[in-house]
Amino acid sequence: MFNDQIALYLNLATTKTRGAGGSLSWLTGNEEPRIEVGHSTSQETQCMVIGSSIWIANNEDVDTDFQLLFLNRIGVDSYPKLKAHVEANSIRLLPSHAGRINVVGGSRPGEKLMARLTGTENRTPALADGFAMPVQQAACQSYSLSSVNAPPASGIVFVKGSYQGAGGENEHAEQKLLAAFGHYLRGYGTSLYSKTLDVSGCKSACSTCRGVLEAVRERLRQAPSRNRVFFDEPDMVNHRGEVGMGAAHPHGIKALDVDHYFPN
Ligand SMILES: [Zn+2]
C-alpha cells in the first residue's frame, strides 16, 4: 500500500505545484525554488517496483517531465530515498488552515485519500517547518518506450512515450510501465533479480487496464521468468471507494498489444 501512497504523493505534488505557479512553497515554506509545470489534468500517476528500482509513469507525459525535475531538485534518486521523503512529507500536500492540516468534506478525493493513508483523517495536526532543500541535485533516469534499449534496472526511472496497442488514442500509465517491462525482459531475458511486480497508483485500474494487467499476469505466470504481478490491493480499493475515487472506466483507452510485448 505504501507504493500507492508514493504514486499519490507525486500526483498531488504535481497539481499542488502547478496551482502555486511552479513554487515548491508547500514543501519548503519558501517561494523558491520554482519548477516548470506544464498543462495537464494530472489524471493518474502509477509506479512499479522491480527489486530495488522504481519505475514511474503518468497518463500524461508532461506530468512525468515535472516529476523528474522535482525529484532531481529535492535530491531524491533512489527508491529508499523516495520512500523516506514521502513518509516524511506527505501531509504537506494536504489543505491547511492557520498552520494545521484541515481536510474537510469539500476537499478533493485525492486529498481525502492521502489523509486516510497518513492517519490524519479527522485530525488537524500542526505542520512542521519547511523541508530543507539539499545542496546536491539528484539525477533520476528517463526511459522512452521508443528506445531500442532495455530500461535501466536500478534507481528511479521515469517511463515516457507511446506503447503499441489498439482500441483508442489515450494511453494509461500502468500500461506504459508494462510496455517498459516487456522491453526489459527482451533486453535481459529471464535473469531478473525480482520475481514480484508491484503496480501501484492513485486510482484503481480502469476496465481496459485491468484486462491488460490480467492478461500480462497470466502470460508472465507461464513465462520462463515466472514474474508475479500484483495490482489493486483490496484494502486500497476500499479506501479509494470510500473517498469517492472508485474505478472509472473511460472509453478510448489504448489496450497494450500483449503478444508484442510478452511473446509466447
Ligand atoms: Zn486505465
Side-chain angles (χ1 to χ4, degrees):
M1 185 148 4
F2 194 72
N3 293 327
D4 297 293
Q5 186 173 331
I6 290 175
L8 184 61
Y9 179 89
L10 291 171
N11 187 272
L12 292 177
T14 306
T15 50
K16 190 121 178 158
T17 306
R18 182 181 291 118
S23 167
L24 297 184
S25 53
W26 60 270
L27 179 63
T28 63
N30 299 307
E31 283 303 307
E32 301 297 331
R34 287 174 174 268
I35 298 179
E36 187 72 28
V37 198
H39 292 288
S40 158
T41 52
S42 300
Q43 282 294 319
E44 181 62 354
T45 305
Q46 291 263 330
C47 57
M48 185 162 82
V49 173
I50 303 172
S52 63
S53 174
I54 183 166
W55 296 357
I56 298 162
N58 287 268
N59 287 7
E60 295 161 274
D61 284 348
V62 65
D63 294 335
T64 306
D65 291 335
F66 163 76
Q67 291 163 10
L68 172 71
L69 292 173
F70 172 59
L71 292 194
N72 282 347
R73 188 63 191 85
I74 63 173
V76 171
D77 57 4
S78 72
Y79 181 40
K81 283 185 194 171
L82 181 57
K83 281 194 284 193
H85 176 83
V86 171
E87 181 75 58
N89 295 287
S90 283
I91 69 168
R92 296 182 194 280
L93 286 163
L94 299 175
S96 60
H97 178 71
R100 290 186 170 274
I101 297 300
N102 189 29
V103 179
V104 296
S107 297
R108 287 182 291 209
E111 294 168 340
K112 291 180 186 171
L113 183 58
M114 183 61 95
R116 182 170 282 223
L117 296 178
T118 54
T120 51
E121 202 175 30
N122 305 318
R123 289 177 50 223
T124 57
L127 275 170
D129 289 343
F131 168 85
M133 295 294 293
V135 176
Q136 279 266 306
Q137 295 205 21
C140 294
Q141 305 170 86
S142 180
Y143 178 73
S144 168
L145 292 175
S146 62
S147 171
V148 295
N149 300 316
S154 64
I156 297 176
V157 182
F158 285 95
V159 175
K160 291 170 55 179
S162 196
Y163 55 82
Q164 291 189 31
E169 291 300 311
N170 296 325
E171 303 191 23
H172 273 179
E174 50 269 70
Q175 296 194 60
K176 294 179 187 181
L177 297 174
L178 292 176
F181 188 66
H183 287 185
Y184 181 88
L185 282 182
R186 191 182 62 197
Y188 295 101
T190 61
S191 57
L192 291 168
Y193 52 85
S194 171
K195 291 296 178 195
T196 300
L197 300 182
D198 185 10
V199 182
S200 308
C202 313
K203 298 176 184 171
S204 297
C206 73
S207 52
T208 304
C209 290
R210 169 169 287 278
V212 169
L213 281 158
E214 287 174 346
V216 171
R217 179 168 64 190
E218 186 61 17
R219 189 67 61 95
L220 289 176
R221 194 178 66 77
Q222 298 171 6
S225 61
R226 295 205 178 277
N227 298 98
R228 292 175 300 152
V229 178
F230 294 92
F231 65 98
D232 286 352
E233 189 184 330
D235 277 354
M236 195 65 203
V237 173
N238 286 341
H239 288 319
R240 290 172 182 142
E242 286 168 14
V243 300
M245 285 178 76
H249 301 293
H251 294 290
I253 308 305
K254 188 193 285 184
L256 185 83
D257 183 343
V258 174
D259 288 332
H260 173 77
Y261 289 98
F262 301 95
N264 273 315

